[in-house]
Amino acid sequence: MRCRLILAIMVLSFGGGCAVNNERGEQPAELQAFEEKIEVRRVWSARVGGSSERLRLGLAPATDGARIYAGSHEGQAAAFDAETGRRIWDVQTNLPLSAGPTYGNGVLAFGTTDGDLLVLDADTGEEIWRRAVGSEVLAPPAIANEFLALRSVDGRLRGYSAIDGRELWSIEQSVPALTMRGNTAPAISGGSVVTGFDNGRLGSYEIATGDPMWEVIVAVPTGRTELERLIDVSAGLKVVGGQVFAVGYHGRALSISLQNGLIVWQQEISSYSGIGVDLNSVYVTDEYSEVVALDRAAGTPRWRQNALRLRDVTAPSAYGNTVVVGDFEGYLHWLDPSDGSLLARERLANGPIYGAPLVVGVNMFAQAEDGTVAAYTIQAEQVEPESEDNSA
């Protein structure tokens, strides 16, 4: 039976955070006082369901620009006004939601731990359709126009009609005996969908047919034990400006041409948390929860921030003139993108934050494991939204 590496080694079950390969019993870094250089204000907060008991799910806010959508493992889904936090609708799906939501073309898509794909009307929360996929879903689906892509833990990437749930195609990659808990959320760009797999491969596939356009090996298993041979590409990816930016566990960070799969640059780094991109840099949270900035054009290291070491830090999100991450104690940290220094800190909740913060205009949104959803903003002159579209 295939096993998935879960919280026993990724996060201490009794409230502490750690990184995989923490062989010396090192404790998570204690937060140190510092002089905050920007003023952060919480705009609003709300609750969606309750705690998911450290299941490390793929639940994180989504947006259509005017509304914020969120869901809980208890089955609750809700929509909020992005500016005021007013609850627009709230529904109980009676499903164990585990990934999503994703917004696209007027609908919301969720995955569940029971192996269901659920699509709701974004205006009302009413169910449009659901489909059994036969495997747990831990990565948010991707939606573009009338197409929906789904990654599930059985190593499959599936294409569906977003209108009626009809399966269009399915491809499968091998799944190692031991894998990380989590999957790479697919990204749709143009006529292709890109995703990573537990066997260390990253691929681009035609939306119409599922035929491979290219595949790249991000990591090759090495070592004598199953733990040493873990090579998942489970940390997410970004498609920005015709480039695919991705990172794998026990692998490397890469910039790849979306058109032909040629590697532009690569840098040895291991991550299970994720990646963020802005105009100048690629930000990676490595396996020890140290945030690393790489030059976007060349991949060369720019800086490393180790003040959050072993705090189970999320993927970074570029937010105006800052970079934001969350941690296992519910703190949000704002970093200076030029040198990685700490700019501000706020506590969202008393439980972990697993999903990368969501940026919408001049505000930033985050969701904690206990169901707390909140909006934050910083002084207007300090927030200058990126001019390049990096929503893919």
Side-chain angles (χ1 to χ4, degrees), residues 352-372:
I353 303 169
Y354 292 133
L358 170 70
V359 177
V360 184
V362 297
N363 290 338
M364 187 213 71
F365 304 85
Q367 180 175 350
E369 184 263 357
D370 69 356
T372 302

Side-chain angles (χ1 to χ4, degrees), residues 246-297:
V247 64
Y249 184 67
H250 284 166
R252 49 187 174 158
L254 305 99
S255 171
I256 303 168
S257 169
L258 176 62
Q259 182 177 9
N260 53 29
L262 293 178
I263 296 175
V264 178
W265 55 256
Q266 55 187 312
Q267 184 67 234
E268 293 299 318
I269 191 168
S270 174
S271 173
Y272 60 78
S273 296
I275 199 166
V277 182
D278 67 12
L279 292 174
N280 300 309
S281 300
V282 175
Y283 305 97
V284 181
T285 300
D286 75 6
E287 64 178 305
Y288 295 104
S289 286
E290 297 186 3
V291 183
V292 180
L294 307 175
D295 183 270
R296 177 171 157 175

Side-chain angles (χ1 to χ4, degrees), residues 50-64:
S51 174
S52 56
E53 300 177 350
R54 297 184 180 272
L55 295 176
R56 203 175 190 91
L57 303 174
L59 295 170
T63 186
D64 62 3

Side-chain angles (χ1 to χ4, degrees), residues 116-136:
D116 289 308
L117 173 59
L118 173 68
V119 172
L120 306 179
D121 186 300
D123 286 335
T124 65
E126 295 180 359
E127 180 176 328
I128 300 175
W129 57 263
R130 75 172 73 176
R131 186 179 182 94
V133 300
S135 182
E136 185 179 20

Side-chain angles (χ1 to χ4, degrees), residues 219-388:
V220 177
T222 59
R224 293 175 296 178
T225 69
E226 293 293 344
L227 284 177
E228 292 174 332
R229 294 173 63 82
L230 280 169
I231 53 169
D232 293 32
V233 184
S234 59
L237 56 85
K238 298 289 184 182
V239 180
V240 186
Q243 300 295 118
V244 180
F245 300 95
V247 64
Y249 184 67
H250 284 166
R252 49 187 174 158
L254 305 99
S255 171
I256 303 168
S257 169
L258 176 62
Q259 182 177 9
N260 53 29
L262 293 178
I263 296 175
V264 178
W265 55 256
Q266 55 187 312
Q267 184 67 234
E268 293 299 318
I269 191 168
S270 174
S271 173
Y272 60 78
S273 296
I275 199 166
V277 182
D278 67 12
L279 292 174
N280 300 309
S281 300
V282 175
Y283 305 97
V284 181
T285 300
D286 75 6
E287 64 178 305
Y288 295 104
S289 286
E290 297 186 3
V291 183
V292 180
L294 307 175
D295 183 270
R296 177 171 157 175
T300 52
R302 299 187 61 208
W303 51 257
R304 175 182 292 270
Q305 173 56 269
N306 60 13
L308 307 176
R309 181 177 171 86
L310 303 184
R311 294 188 62 84
D312 200 22
V313 171
T314 68
S317 292
Y319 173 33
N321 293 324
T322 71
V323 177
V324 190
V325 296
D327 72 15
F328 78 102
E329 288 187 319
Y331 286 97
L332 291 162
H333 309 269
W334 281 256
L335 311 180
D336 189 324
S338 65
D339 59 10
S341 60
L342 294 170
L343 298 175
R345 177 191 300 145
E346 292 288 328
R347 194 165 199 174
L348 170 64
N350 292 323
I353 303 169
Y354 292 133
L358 170 70
V359 177
V360 184
V362 297
N363 290 338
M364 187 213 71
F365 304 85
Q367 180 175 350
E369 184 263 357
D370 69 356
T372 302
V373 180
Y376 293 87
T377 193
I378 55 181
Q379 292 182 1
E381 63 267 21
Q382 296 171 315
V383 181
E384 299 174 2
E386 299 291 340
S387 60
E388 182 175 2

Side-chain angles (χ1 to χ4, degrees), residues 160-179:
Y160 293 93
S161 164
I163 297 176
D164 57 16
R166 177 170 44 92
E167 184 173 313
L168 305 175
W169 49 261
S170 174
I171 63 172
E172 184 177 9
Q173 293 273 355
S174 62
V175 180
L178 192 64
T179 66

